[in-house]
């Protein structure tokens, strides 16, 4: 048994290098044990360093369609511990021509494509729900912001280039329970998360909460439409979410109030406008 | 009068803006700020940053520049005869809110609309100034949507299209009669000619000169409009027919349908009811069928007709055209597969890709992502035959909610 230990930062490029090398040697999927490096200080895995004899197999050169490479690399950011082994098996079969890319009747490929979709959704939600708070002074030439976010999958690396392109003129940190992305003076880097405390609210948050309350139309209450797109698991890190229960509670009464209110007399201004002498 | 704080103004002018349905922020010019000299990116698929309990997303900071208005449109919360509280933002205030919200990743950009103060030109000029300040002073590269005022001069519209990603002009009501009754200062002719003007300028901006240089982009994310549904007596057939002509004549990106919703201090001309949300939903489904599934407006709802509220318009069409079904999934052309209830555009693409390699079986459709419950009566392939189901008399009952649940709507 070969044990391949992958780093926690740069996991996917490392997997790709190992997969190519293993395929070139003709190592079959069942003869590899894939694992992630333990976080610093954790005990190492029992299986490490116990090589077993392997049955010989013909070498394989991994050439795959581009769309397959991109989907595979996305799916590898899933949290499923089996993903490295399953994907190695899939790429061997694809390269040998035993499996057609896109064939959803193959259970392993179907699983991979489902995981790719889950990862893409998680990345999309991270792009949507990260909330920055200012931690520097607003007058600084490059302003500094920080955010705490809890994704379902280890996606900080693929999700961060979006923020680098969008927030190019400021410095920022996004910390998650595993890794932290840091963007300073235009350079993006990753490190193990040390500080797991969310940053303190800043002054603009009160304005945002005002906006959130007032853009809501109480006559159109549709709670399930909201929760299907913004599931409750994200709420604890959204500065506006604690307003939601009260907005829901008072909505029916506010809507009825509008319907039942008697028409009012137009203000004097309106009469002047109507006569065209403003 | 006590001077209003920024918070007060934001509350009033967000309240005034919530009846506009659009919040799209996708498409258009690709921009980013990787060079470190500006803020923002755009051009990908838009992102919804939050959802309010009405189920609508917050993608853009959607506010009015001012809700003072000299027009008196009966359906509008900001009409001159309403006693709504009034406020007005300065250029700096809108700029500051947009930039500060954007830096915190609350929004994709700004959707700015306005009541009409003094004159259409004055109002439009102020809105253009806000967009220009964001672009030129703040180097803002996020998304800007400006609601243009149809009576404003063409030069102002021309400048608006340079700074904004999207322009929109609301047709407001589905028929001209309703518009003249409920929005006496607005004219359907002016609205359509403003749309035609935007379309012409967009086309001109995409034509290369003889040297191959391209002029400046003009409203690269296109134009859109909104129709209020349920304030007048227009039928769904009229609404969809109108939408089809707007898509055809002006190459609109989107037509939004907005269920007429109770507003504070309503006009006596328009008694309030609960908003027709299911009807609005069915209109969006029908709109989708026209844009992506090859349906004509008349096929979905005849001019005088209404959409079925209990079942979706694609299913309703299939039930009324049983002679076309069942469809052989392994042989039918794309256009016909698109008409099968439960098959989306993505499922159809996957079916076509997969059947090049082998014959599809019923079990494959589930993995492809088809909604089989809806599709079953209308398809045949190895592993499934609907037999008499396609023509059975009570097929509609299989899909429509049982009668006792109707009160829910």
């Amino acid at each position: 048994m070969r044990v391949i230990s992958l780093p926690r930062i740069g996991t996917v490029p490392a997997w790709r290098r190992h997969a190519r090398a293993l395929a070139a040697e003709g190592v079959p999927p069942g003869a590899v044990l894939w694992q992630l490096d333990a976080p610093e200080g954790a005990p190492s895995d029992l299986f490490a360093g116990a090589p077993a004899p392997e049955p010989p197999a013909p070498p394989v050169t991994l050439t795959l369609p581009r769309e397959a490479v991109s989907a595979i690399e996305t799916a590898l950011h899933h949290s499923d511990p089996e993903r490295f082994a399953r994907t190695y098996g899939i790429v061997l079969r694809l390269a040998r021509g035993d499996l057609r890319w896109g064939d959803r009747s193959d259970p392993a490929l179907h699983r991979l494509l489902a995981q790719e979709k889950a990862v893409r959704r998680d990345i999309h939600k991270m792009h949507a729900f990260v909330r920055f708070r200012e931690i520097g002074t607003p007058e600084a030439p490059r302003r500094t912001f920080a955010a705490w976010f809890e994704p379902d999958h280890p996606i900080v690396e693929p999700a961060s280039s979006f923020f680098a392109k969008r927030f190019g003129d400021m410095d920022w940190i996004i910390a998650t329970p595993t890794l932290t992305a840091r963007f300073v003076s235009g350079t993006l880097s990753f490190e193990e998360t040390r500080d797991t405390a969310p940053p303190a609210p800043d002054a603009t948050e009160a304005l945002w909460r005002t906006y959130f309350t007032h853009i809501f139309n109480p006559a159109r209450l549709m709670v399930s439409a909201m929760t299907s797109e913004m599931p409750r698991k994200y709420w604890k890190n959204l500065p506006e979410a604690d307003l939601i229960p009260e907005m829901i509670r008072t909505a029916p009464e506010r809507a009825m109030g509008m319907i039942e209110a008697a028409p009012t007399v137009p203000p004097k201004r309106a009469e002047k406008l109507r006569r065209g002498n403003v | 009068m006590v001077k209003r704080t920024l918070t007060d103004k934001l509350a009033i002018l967000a309240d005034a803006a919530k009846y506009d349905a659009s919040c799209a922020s996708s498409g258009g010019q690709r921009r980013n700020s990787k060079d470190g000299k500006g803020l923002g990116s755009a051009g990908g698929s838009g992102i919804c940053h939050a959802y309010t309990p009405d189920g609508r997303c917050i993608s853009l900071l959607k506010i009015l520049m001012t809700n003072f208005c000299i027009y008196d449109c009966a359906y509008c919360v900001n009409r001159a005869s309403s006693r709504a509280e009034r406020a007005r933002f300065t250029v700096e205030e809108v700029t500051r809110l947009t930039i500060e919200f954007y830096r915190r990743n609350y929004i994709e950009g700004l959707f700015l609309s306005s009541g009409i103060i003094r004159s259409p030109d004055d109002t439009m000029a102020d809105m253009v100034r806000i967009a220009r300040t964001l672009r030129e002073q703040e180097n803002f590269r996020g998304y800007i949507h400006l609601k243009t005022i149809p009576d404003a001069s063409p030069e102002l519209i021309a400048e608006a299209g340079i700074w904004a990603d999207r322009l929109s002009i609301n047709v407001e009501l589905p028929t001209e009669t309703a518009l003249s009754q409920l929005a006496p200062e607005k004219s359907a002719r002016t609205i359509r000619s403003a749309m035609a003007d935007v379309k012409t300028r967009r086309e001109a901006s995409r034509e290369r000169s003889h040297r191959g240089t391209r002029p400046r982009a003009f409203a690269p994310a296109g134009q859109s409009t909104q129709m209020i549904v349920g304030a007048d007596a227009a039928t769904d057939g009229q609404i969809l027919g109108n939408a089809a002509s707007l898509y055809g004549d002006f190459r609109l990106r989107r037509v939004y349908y907005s269920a007429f919703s109770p507003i504070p201090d309503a006009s006596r001309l328009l008694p309030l009811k609960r908003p027709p949300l299911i009807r609005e939903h069915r209109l969006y489904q029908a709109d989708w069928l026209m844009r992506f599934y090859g349906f004509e407006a008349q096929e979905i709802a005849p001019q005088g007709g209404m959409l079925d509220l209990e079942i979706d318009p694609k299913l309703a069409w299939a039930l009324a055209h049983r002679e076309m079904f069942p469809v052989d999934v392994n042989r039918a052309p794309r256009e016909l597969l698109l008409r099968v209830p439960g098959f989306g555009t993505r499922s159809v693409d996957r079916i076509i890709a997969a059947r090049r390699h082998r014959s599809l079986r019923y079990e494959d459709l589930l993995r492809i992502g088809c909604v089989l419950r809806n599709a079953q009566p209308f398809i045949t392939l190895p592993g499934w035959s609907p037999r008499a189901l396609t023509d059975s008399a009570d097929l509609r009952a299989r899909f429509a909610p049982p009668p006792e649940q109707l009160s829910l709507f």
Side-chain angles (χ1 to χ4, degrees):
Chain A
M1 181 69 78
R2 297 243 197 147
V3 178
I4 303 290
S5 202
L6 298 168
R8 290 158 56 86
I9 298 170
T11 313
V12 173
W15 178 90
R16 189 174 55 215
R17 281 193 304 278
H18 284 292
R20 278 189 195 290
L22 290 165
E25 283 184 56
V27 181
V32 189
L33 178 71
W34 297 88
Q35 63 181 28
L36 267 180
D37 281 347
E40 286 159 44
S44 62
D45 193 277
L46 291 173
F47 295 101
E54 291 155 9
V60 180
T61 313
L62 291 184
T63 41
L64 303 174
R66 187 178 306 176
E67 96 180 286
V69 174
S70 130
I72 286 168
E73 296 198 342
T74 302
L76 282 170
H77 286 98
H78 199 277
S79 58
D80 177 6
E82 295 301 313
R83 66 196 184 279
F84 303 120
R86 182 186 312 112
T87 310
Y88 180 57
I90 288 173
V91 294
L92 284 183
R93 287 161 62 215
L94 286 168
R96 285 201 215 102
D98 299 342
L99 174 65
R100 182 178 58 80
W101 177 251
D103 184 356
R104 282 163 199 270
S105 65
D106 180 82
L109 187 51
H110 182 64
R111 187 83 184 273
L112 182 143
L113 290 170
Q115 295 192 343
E116 183 222 352
K117 193 174 170 190
V119 170
R120 272 196 282 118
R121 181 176 163 91
D122 203 31
I123 291 174
H124 183 77
K125 291 298 178 196
M126 177 164 171
H127 293 166
F129 298 147
V130 156
R131 297 283 186 261
F132 283 119
R133 288 163 162 175
E134 189 153 32
I135 56 168
T137 53
E139 294 76 27
R142 277 181 80 87
R143 294 168 64 180
T144 311
F145 292 81
W148 167 256
F149 188 74
E150 296 172 50
D152 289 344
H153 303 288
I155 53 161
V156 180
E157 288 182 80
S160 290
S161 59
F162 164 84
F163 294 104
K165 284 186 200 144
R166 174 157 289 195
F167 300 106
D169 74 345
M170 58 195 225
D171 292 343
W172 48 261
I173 298 162
I174 302 173
T176 72
T178 53
L179 298 187
T180 293
R182 195 179 280 278
F183 187 75
V184 178
S185 306
T187 307
L188 180 61
S189 62
F190 300 96
E191 63 200 36
E192 293 277 349
T193 297
R194 285 183 295 266
D195 188 1
T196 58
D202 68 18
T204 302
E205 228 161 75
L207 283 168
W208 168 242
R209 287 163 59 87
T210 300
Y211 178 69
F212 184 77
T213 327
H214 285 269
I215 201 66
F216 163 60
N217 182 352
R220 299 180 56 106
L221 191 63
M222 271 196 266
V223 178
S224 63
M226 166 186 68
T227 47
S228 75
E229 294 298 335
M230 195 168 81
R232 286 197 168 77
K233 67 181 174 190
Y234 293 110
W235 290 16
K236 67 175 170 334
N237 292 317
L238 293 171
E240 65 276 16
D242 65 333
L243 296 163
I244 293 172
E246 180 69 5
M247 288 161 77
I248 295 174
R249 197 183 60 76
T250 53
E253 169 192 334
R254 289 172 66 197
M256 275 322 286
M258 288 190 276
I259 293 179
E260 283 164 3
T264 55
V265 182
K268 285 197 188 106
R269 260 185 68 251
E271 184 54 29
K272 278 196 224 158
L273 279 171
R274 215 165 56 77
R275 294 201 308 264
N277 58 358
V278 158
Chain B
M1 197 169 75
V2 191
K3 199 163 182 302
R4 294 194 193 283
T5 63
L6 184 59
T7 306
D8 297 338
K9 289 185 185 181
L10 179 60
I12 293 170
L13 294 166
D15 266 329
K18 70 175 82 162
Y19 302 97
D20 235 304
S22 163
C23 83
S25 57
S26 49
Q29 215 170 25
R30 282 198 178 272
R31 297 184 295 261
N32 66 55
S33 55
K34 255 194 136 160
D35 61 6
K37 292 180 186 135
L39 171 68
S41 58
S45 53
I47 298 171
C48 300
H49 287 274
Y51 290 80
T52 47
D54 51 20
R56 284 181 159 177
C57 84
I58 299 179
S59 179
L60 302 171
L61 169 63
K62 194 191 299 181
I63 45 176
L64 259 59
M65 186 176 73
T66 175
N67 65 340
F68 285 105
C69 192
I70 58 175
Y71 285 9
D72 202 33
C73 309
Y75 49 81
C76 182
V77 65
N78 306 309
R79 69 189 187 286
S81 62
S82 157
R83 301 195 79 91
E85 279 194 275
R86 308 281 170 167
R88 182 176 181 183
F89 278 132
T90 62
V91 173
E92 294 67 36
E93 284 168 333
V94 176
T95 312
R96 186 183 140 202
L97 280 172
T98 309
I99 295 293
E100 295 305 317
F101 278 17
Y102 196 90
R103 286 197 183 282
R104 285 159 182 79
N105 202 38
Y106 302 157
I107 53 169
E108 293 286 289
L110 174 67
F111 177 1
L112 188 65
S113 181
S114 184
I116 296 175
I117 36 171
R118 298 194 299 278
S119 75
D121 273 0
D122 283 338
T123 310
M124 195 67 219
D126 285 352
M127 293 171 75
V128 168
R129 192 170 312 126
I130 289 173
R132 191 178 58 219
T133 307
L134 279 169
R135 293 285 191 234
E136 291 203 314
Q137 263 179 40
E138 303 291 332
N139 292 313
F140 179 63
R141 296 168 193 172
Y143 193 90
I144 300 180
H145 177 161
L146 290 183
K147 171 79 75 59
T148 50
I149 295 163
D151 307 285
S153 74
E155 295 75 41
L156 285 167
I157 307 265
E159 203 192 337
I162 287 173
W163 309 119
D165 292 278
R166 170 169 285 187
L167 297 179
S168 66
I169 302 162
N170 285 358
V171 296
E172 310 288 13
L173 292 160
T175 65
E176 264 183 67
T177 334
L179 193 70
S180 59
Q181 276 165 8
L182 300 175
E185 292 93 348
K186 296 198 173 179
S187 121
R189 208 172 50 82
T190 317
I191 292 170
R192 291 180 80 89
S193 90
M195 284 179 170
D197 182 40
V198 171
K199 178 190 163 219
T200 314
R201 285 178 201 277
R202 267 173 55 70
E203 281 168 355
S205 78
R206 278 174 299 184
E207 265 169 34
R208 288 172 192 275
S209 72
H210 65 284
R211 289 186 173 172
T213 51
R214 243 181 222 271
R216 255 179 125 161
F218 184 87
Q223 60 170 332
S224 63
T225 194
Q226 169 170 295
M227 262 187 262
I228 296 165
V229 174
D232 66 339
T235 62
D236 292 338
Q238 283 174 306
I239 291 171
L240 292 174
N242 193 358
S245 91
L246 290 167
Y247 283 126
D249 298 349
F250 307 115
R251 303 257 157 266
L252 291 193
R253 283 291 171 83
R254 283 294 297 273
V255 174
Y256 291 92
Y257 308 92
S258 179
F260 179 59
S261 156
I263 47 172
D265 195 22
S267 159
R268 58 181 79 235
L269 283 178
L270 272 181
L272 295 181
K273 298 174 290 222
R274 298 176 67 181
L277 297 180
I278 301 287
R279 185 179 175 201
E280 179 193 272
H281 177 60
R282 296 288 180 231
L283 283 167
Y284 277 116
Q285 290 179 318
D287 185 270
W288 226 257
L289 293 181
M290 297 197 294
R291 290 187 298 140
F292 304 112
Y293 289 81
F295 281 80
E296 299 289 333
Q298 299 309 311
E299 290 182 280
I300 308 168
Q303 192 67 19
M306 296 297 277
L307 295 171
D308 192 328
L309 293 183
E310 289 177 13
I311 55 174
D312 73 74
K314 194 177 180 189
L315 188 56
W317 182 88
L319 288 173
H321 294 83
R322 312 244 192 130
E323 72 284 358
M324 317 268 295
F325 299 101
V327 160
D328 181 342
V329 176
N330 281 303
R331 292 216 172 72
R334 189 166 196 280
E335 307 80 70
L336 197 52
L337 289 176
L338 283 172
R339 299 230 161 192
V340 175
F343 284 14
T345 49
R346 197 126 36 134
S347 315
V348 169
D349 290 341
R350 284 178 185 163
I351 288 171
I352 289 171
R355 74 188 187 182
R356 281 195 203 109
H357 301 276
R358 61 189 174 80
S359 172
L360 286 175
R361 292 189 56 80
Y362 180 74
E363 304 81 71
D364 295 321
L365 294 182
L366 193 63
R367 293 196 199 93
I368 278 174
C370 302
V371 183
L372 292 176
R373 197 189 127 68
N374 289 359
Q376 275 168 352
F378 306 105
I379 53 168
T380 169
L381 74 168
W384 173 259
S385 161
R387 287 190 284 267
L389 190 57
T390 314
D391 295 311
S392 71
D394 56 353
L395 187 53
R396 188 176 186 284
R398 183 183 153 102
F399 300 107
E404 65 270 19
Q405 282 191 12
L406 275 178
S407 60
L408 279 178
F409 302 109

